[in-house]
């Protein structure tokens, strides 16, 4: 069974940094591209970042480019999101999501999410 | 970036009703469109991909259609478990973008 478990969320002051983790199990992690998707309280879904299966290619939403860095450790079956220079508008539940092999860009598997609150 | 616009934003319906949600893209995305269902406090659940392919395990009362820039999600006979928020998502090009959501409420 595919499992994705996020951790690392919490309350952080504006301008601060936070590192989210996503522990994956139930599949061959180094075979699949991974993503982060976020959802502000009471709002819709926003794609944040993508990383290829090998970790050599990554993409970011304009809203986080230059502040967030996605990475992965295939030996540890883990995905990460380093978030710097955090702003109030980054407050959201952050989900890690796994893609399909054959169809890039859709998310059949999601974690339960971790809440990041940026506030003084 | 490709903008995705859903209508309506809220839909009130009764059990057994046929429900249709529309999603329009700001440019052609071929058939690279997915639909998700989300319930409060839960992660989204993939329903349909490639505009009309039903995800494994999803009830057959859900169907999708369309191509290019206009798409629909249809629930043929609304069930109590279907009251939720539905999102479309394009994956034709990065950044992947979602519609603003359609909340299906009990009438």
């Amino acid at each position: 069974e595919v499992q994705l478990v996020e951790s690392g969320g919490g309350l952080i002051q504006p301008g601060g940094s936070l590192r989210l983790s996503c522990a994956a199990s139930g599949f061959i992690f180094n075979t699949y591209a991974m993503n982060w998707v976020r959802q502000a309280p009471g709002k819709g879904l926003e794609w944040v970042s993508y990383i290829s299966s090998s970790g050599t290619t990554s993409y970011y939403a304009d809203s986080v480019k230059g502040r967030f860095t996605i990475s992965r450790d295939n030996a540890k079956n883990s995905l990460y999101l380093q978030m710097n220079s955090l702003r109030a508008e980054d407050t959201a539940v952050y989900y890690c999501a796994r893609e399909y092999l054959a169809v890039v860009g859709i998310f059949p598997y999601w974690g339960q999410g971790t809440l990041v609150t940026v506030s003084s | 970036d490709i903008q995705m616009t859903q209508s309506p934003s809220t839909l009130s319906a009764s059990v057994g009703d046929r429900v249709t949600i529309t999603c329009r893209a700001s440019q052609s995305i071929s058939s690279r469109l997915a639909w998700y269902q989300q319930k409060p406090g839960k992660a989204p659940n993939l329903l349909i991909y490639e505009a009309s392919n039903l995800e494994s395990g999803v009830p057959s009362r859900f169907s999708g259609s369309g191509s290019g820039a206009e798409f629909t999600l249809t629930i043929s006979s609304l069930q109590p478990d279907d009251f939720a928020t539905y999102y479309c998502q394009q994956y034709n090009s990065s950044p992947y973008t979602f519609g603003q959501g359609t909340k299906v409420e009990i009438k």
Side-chain angles (χ1 to χ4, degrees):
Chain A
E1 179 193 3
V2 173
Q3 284 203 324
L4 300 169
V5 179
E6 302 94 337
S7 60
L11 175 64
I12 187 77
Q13 291 190 339
S17 297
L18 210 55
R19 188 197 197 203
L20 305 184
S21 299
C22 172
S25 61
F27 64 100
I28 302 173
F29 183 69
N30 63 14
T31 305
Y32 292 88
M34 299 292 295
N35 293 259
W36 288 96
V37 178
R38 69 183 181 183
Q39 186 170 36
K43 302 297 184 183
L45 300 165
E46 180 188 16
W47 171 81
V48 172
S49 185
Y50 158 96
I51 189 166
S52 62
S53 57
S54 64
T56 55
T57 301
S58 59
Y59 303 117
Y60 299 91
D62 286 346
S63 57
V64 306
K65 201 173 293 182
R67 300 187 299 122
F68 289 12
T69 302
I70 192 171
S71 62
R72 63 192 296 161
D73 185 335
N74 284 343
K76 295 183 177 179
N77 289 346
S78 293
L79 174 72
Y80 305 103
L81 187 67
Q82 177 67 43
M83 304 186 296
N84 299 331
S85 302
L86 282 161
R87 306 166 180 167
E89 54 265 35
D90 296 318
T91 294
V93 173
Y94 284 74
Y95 296 100
C96 66
R98 199 204 84 178
E99 296 195 358
Y100 271 136
L101 274 179
V103 184
V104 175
I106 62 169
F107 313 125
Y109 298 101
W110 299 65
Q112 84 289 350
T114 187
L115 176 62
V116 173
T117 303
V118 184
S119 175
S120 54
Chain B
D1 298 1
I2 299 174
Q3 308 302 317
M4 306 301 293
T5 303
Q6 288 180 233
S7 60
S9 295
T10 306
L11 189 159
S12 295
S14 301
V15 172
D17 283 353
R18 181 182 182 88
V19 165
T20 299
I21 299 169
T22 298
C23 178
R24 288 186 174 87
S26 60
Q27 64 189 73
S28 176
I29 57 170
S30 185
S31 294
R32 301 184 75 77
L33 183 102
W35 289 96
Y36 298 84
Q37 177 194 67
Q38 188 180 33
K39 296 180 179 179
K42 300 294 187 182
N45 181 45
L46 177 66
L47 299 175
I48 286 169
Y49 62 96
E50 287 296 292
S52 60
N53 289 1
L54 198 65
E55 172 70 351
S56 176
V58 174
S60 58
R61 62 181 179 272
F62 291 92
S63 63
S65 64
S67 65
E70 187 154 340
F71 303 86
T72 59
L73 172 71
T74 299
I75 309 172
S76 61
S77 178
L78 197 65
Q79 298 302 301
D81 191 48
D82 301 338
F83 291 97
T85 300
Y86 294 84
Y87 294 93
C88 63
Q89 177 227 337
Q90 69 81 18
Y91 51 98
N92 186 66
S93 62
S94 180
Y96 306 137
T97 44
F98 292 86
Q100 81 279 14
T102 295
K103 185 175 183 180
V104 177
E105 298 181 327
I106 300 172
K107 190 172 184 178

